């Protein structure tokens, strides 16, 4: 007991921060999601109205065979999320592999690693917007394509499309994959690779059977970063999608700006549940506690 | 006003020198005395209306500091409803009042303390321009400008001593076009959904305003005539959104825009050739040397108006300072400044006194410019001989079809709008 008290004291500050800035707001959001509201006030009374509104019409397909807004929005957000995840994983893994196994000197490794962070020296929004003059109808890429007579009309899908959204996400968030994967790779005992090669494994076999399984903690952590960011994002999807692509974050933002806080809270709770389920699913694949 | 234009610079210099010295002394020696001297007014509004030069000029004239708090249109309302003590002066649009006034967070403005109150244009008090009634669909200011008392939560049907907002700026919006890329005359809102411009149009993604533009298009296409575009029934909302969704699925829109700069960039880069647009955004495109027209249309305009409100808790020196600012604002200098930006000011005769006759003729009377027209910042806006889009004040404001609004079915409308975005 004498030793337990200091331990509690040490855990105290973080527990307080955690309680105050995470648990309390979360509990409030949950509570508000069951409140009623009108144009200008929240009415604290238990009501399922917000959840019913969110899923209104989701029991059946609409007249044109379309999904209800909520399901359509989740479908669109999840699809983007999957695309971004696949691209960032492929890129992040490759870059991390190069840094960890091909660059020999630690000095060079650090230098290249810092190079990867250079884009983070400017703001997110600026990095995003700088794509616009490049990809636009009269942008550099189209100018080049037209000039080289590769196309007759400007390519329209380069900007304000799913393509541009995924491109911007990959540009913005690949770093979140590189760092944890690189970190895992650096801990791999090099003698394992030598052993693999001694045992006659090809480079691909060593990669697939040694490096990938031993990097899975990094892959998992990177995936959690990317998935949580993309699921909640509304700025990137808005700017790069020309505000025409639905995202759950955007719906929440529109609702809060119209003072429909309970509806927004209900949407936030559902979003949180979906993201937690995805993360739970991922952690089933890797026992993250043991690996760390 | 004590200063006329000639002695202003000298007075300004002396005053700022004195203040600078006082400031240096005050930081080390007597901060309390300095702070008590003149109040600071926290001015909550959108960035578009928060001009540094207006605050500087007011400070020079009265010594009162205006501290701008810039947020988006939606956030102005949100803060007025949820955090009424976070500002001393509210600059918001009339349509937001339906949400703010019932909370009791606004104090009725006593017109007896506002010197030029009786000179405020009849457009606000009676809904008239040059003696003729204009369209009052939506949240027309005359419906919400008077309160029953100083602490009232309901709007008065007839003029009273207490105003909810003192009007500052207003204008009538229409479509902006790129004549160099369209190459033919445009005269109807219906052109926004004309397949000829497929993939090259855009609409405003602020649901309560965007849906009004969509309604103007629906009426212009002859699909439906709304009893009140600013207050639709669920059925009418469904019809309007269905029209938008159909157009979106056919690839009509290049993008939707939410803020001023987005609309300027879409137009200037040629991504879009026709879109709903705000007048100063058209001016901004034009100052880049790109031809852009704020196109008058036969169905008329969608109007908006903003004004100053006072939070219910404001009292004492700060309240006096707020009234001083309102009086100063209606006194002409600010009005002339706004008129030169292409907005309209609430008291026309004081603004006229502060403008050159050739400026007044161009901006307000729709006459060809006899000299080059410059913005308050000195940028060239129009060359000699050109005429303002939409003509005179009476032609433009007399052509109002509806006003920006908040509908009774607002929640349903926002939900349906999200459906349009998700389609």
């Amino acid at each position: 007991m004498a030793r337990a008290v200091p331990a509690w004291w040490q855990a105290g500050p973080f527990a307080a921060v955690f309680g105050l800035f995470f648990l309390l707001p979360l509990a409030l959001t949950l509570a508000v999601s069951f409140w009623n509201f009108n144009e200008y006030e929240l009415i604290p009374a238990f009501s399922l109205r917000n959840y019913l509104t969110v899923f209104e019409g989701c029991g059946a397909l609409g007249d044109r065979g379309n999904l209800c807004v909520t399901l359509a929005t989740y479908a669109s957000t999840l699809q983007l999320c999957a695309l971004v995840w696949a691209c960032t994983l492929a890129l992040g893994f490759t870059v991390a592999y190069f840094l960890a196994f091909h660059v020999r000197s630690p000095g060079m490794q650090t230098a290249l690693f810092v190079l990867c962070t250079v884009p983070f020296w400017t703001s997110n929004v600026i990095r995003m917007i700088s794509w616009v003059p490049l990809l636009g109808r009269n942008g550099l890429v189209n100018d080049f394509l037209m000039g080289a007579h590769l196309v007759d009309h400007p390519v329209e899908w380069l900007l304000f499309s799913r393509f541009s959204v995924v491109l911007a996400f990959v540009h913005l968030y690949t770093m979140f994959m590189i760092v944890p994967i690189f970190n895992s790779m650096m801990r791999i005992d090099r003698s394992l690779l030598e052993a693999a090669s001694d045992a006659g494994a090809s480079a691909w076999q060593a990669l697939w059977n040694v490096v990938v399984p031993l990097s899975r903690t990094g892959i998992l952590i990177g995936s959690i970063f990317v998935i949580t960011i993309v699921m909640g994002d509304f700025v990137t999807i808005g700017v790069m999608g020309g505000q025409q692509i639905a995202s759950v974050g955007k719906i929440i933002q529109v609702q809060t700006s119209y003072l429909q806080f309970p509806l927004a809270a209900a949407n936030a709770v559902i979003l949180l549940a979906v993201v937690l389920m995805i993360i739970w699913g991922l952690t089933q694949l890797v026992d993250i506690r043991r690996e760390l | 006003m004590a200063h006329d234009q000639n002695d202003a610079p000298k007075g300004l210099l002396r005053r700022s020198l004195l203040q600078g010295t006082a400031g240096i002394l005050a930081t080390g020696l007597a901060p309390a005395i300095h702070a008590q001297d003149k109040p600071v007014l926290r001015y909550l509004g959108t960035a578009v209306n928060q001009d540094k030069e207006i605050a500087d000029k007011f400070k020079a004239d009265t010594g009162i500091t205006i501290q701008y708090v810039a947020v988006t249109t939606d956030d102005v309302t949100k803060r007025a409803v949820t955090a009424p003590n976070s500002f001393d002066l509210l600059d918001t649009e009339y349509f937001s009042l339906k949400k703010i006034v019932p909370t009791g967070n606004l104090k009725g403005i006593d017109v007896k303390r506002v010197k030029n109150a009786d000179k405020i244009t009849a457009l606000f008090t009676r809904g008239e321009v040059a003696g003729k009634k204009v369209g009052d669909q939506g949240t027309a200011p005359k419906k919400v400008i008077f309160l029953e008392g100083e602490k009232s939560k309901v709007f008065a049907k007839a003029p009273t001593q207490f105003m909810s907002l003192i009007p500052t700026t207003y204008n009538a919006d229409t479509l902006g076009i790129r004549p160099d890329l369209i190459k033919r005359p445009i005269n109807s809102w219906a052109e926004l959904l004309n397949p000829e411009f497929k993939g090259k149009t855009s609409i405003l993604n602020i649901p309560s305003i965007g849906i009004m533009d969509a309604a103007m298009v629906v009426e212009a296409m002859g699909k439906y005539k709304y009893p009140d575009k600013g207050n639709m029934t669920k059925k009418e909302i469904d019809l309007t959104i269905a029209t938008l969704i159909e157009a979106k699925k056919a690839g009509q829109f290049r993008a939707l825009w939410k803020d001023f700069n987005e609309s300027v960039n879409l137009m200037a880069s040629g991504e879009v050739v026709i879109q709903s647009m705000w007048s100063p955004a058209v001016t901004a495109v034009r100052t880049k040397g790109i031809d852009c027209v704020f196109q008058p249309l036969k169905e008329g305009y969608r109007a908006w108006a903003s004004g100053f409100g006072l939070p219910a808790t404001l009292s004492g020196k700060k309240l006096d300072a707020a009234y001083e600012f309102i009086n100063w604002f209606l006194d002409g200098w600010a009005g002339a400044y706004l008129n030169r930006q292409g907005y309209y000011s609430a008291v026309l005769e004081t603004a006229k006194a502060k403008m050159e006759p050739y400026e007044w003729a161009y901006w307000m009377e729709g006459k060809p410019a006899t000299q080059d027209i410059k913005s308050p910042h000195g940028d060239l806006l129009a060359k000699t001989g050109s005429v303002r889009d939409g003509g005179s004040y009476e032609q433009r404001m007399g052509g109002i079809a509806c006003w920006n609004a908040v509908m009774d079915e607002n929640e349903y409308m926002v939900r349906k709008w999200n459906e349009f975005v998700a389609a």
Side-chain angles (χ1 to χ4, degrees), chain A residues 37 39-40 49 53 56 69 136-138 156 159-160 242-244 246 251 254 256-261 263, chain B residues 74 78 81 99 102 199-200 206-208 248 253-256 262 269-271 410-411 414-415 419 421-422:
Chain A
F37 67 99
E39 281 301 312
Y40 48 86
R49 172 190 161 195
T53 308
E56 194 178 281
V69 192
R137 181 177 285 135
N138 305 308
E156 304 268 333
L159 189 61
F160 303 138
Q243 311 282 2
Q244 292 210 69
I251 286 192
V254 170
T256 53
S257 63
Y258 280 83
L259 297 164
Q260 302 171 350
F261 290 110
L263 259 182
Chain B
D74 293 336
K78 209 193 311 181
V81 172
K99 292 183 176 186
K200 293 179 179 176
I206 297 175
S208 60
K248 188 184 172 195
F253 302 112
R254 178 65 169 153
L256 310 179
E262 267 176 330
S269 63
E271 296 293 334
N410 191 42
E411 186 203 328
V414 171
R415 206 160 83 214
E419 206 169 297
V421 174

Side-chain angles (χ1 to χ4, degrees), chain B residues 307-354:
Chain B
F308 291 139
L310 303 178
T313 48
L314 201 67
S315 63
K317 270 195 172 175
K318 284 214 169 188
L319 183 63
D320 295 340
Y323 272 110
E324 196 170 346
F325 183 62
I326 289 171
N327 277 318
W328 177 86
F329 205 91
L330 297 182
D331 205 47
W333 189 90
Y337 186 86
L338 295 168
N339 284 356
R340 285 190 198 106
Q341 285 183 313
Y343 294 112
Y344 294 115
S345 59
V347 180
L348 296 176
E349 73 180 73
T350 56
K352 185 176 184 178
K354 301 275 179 176

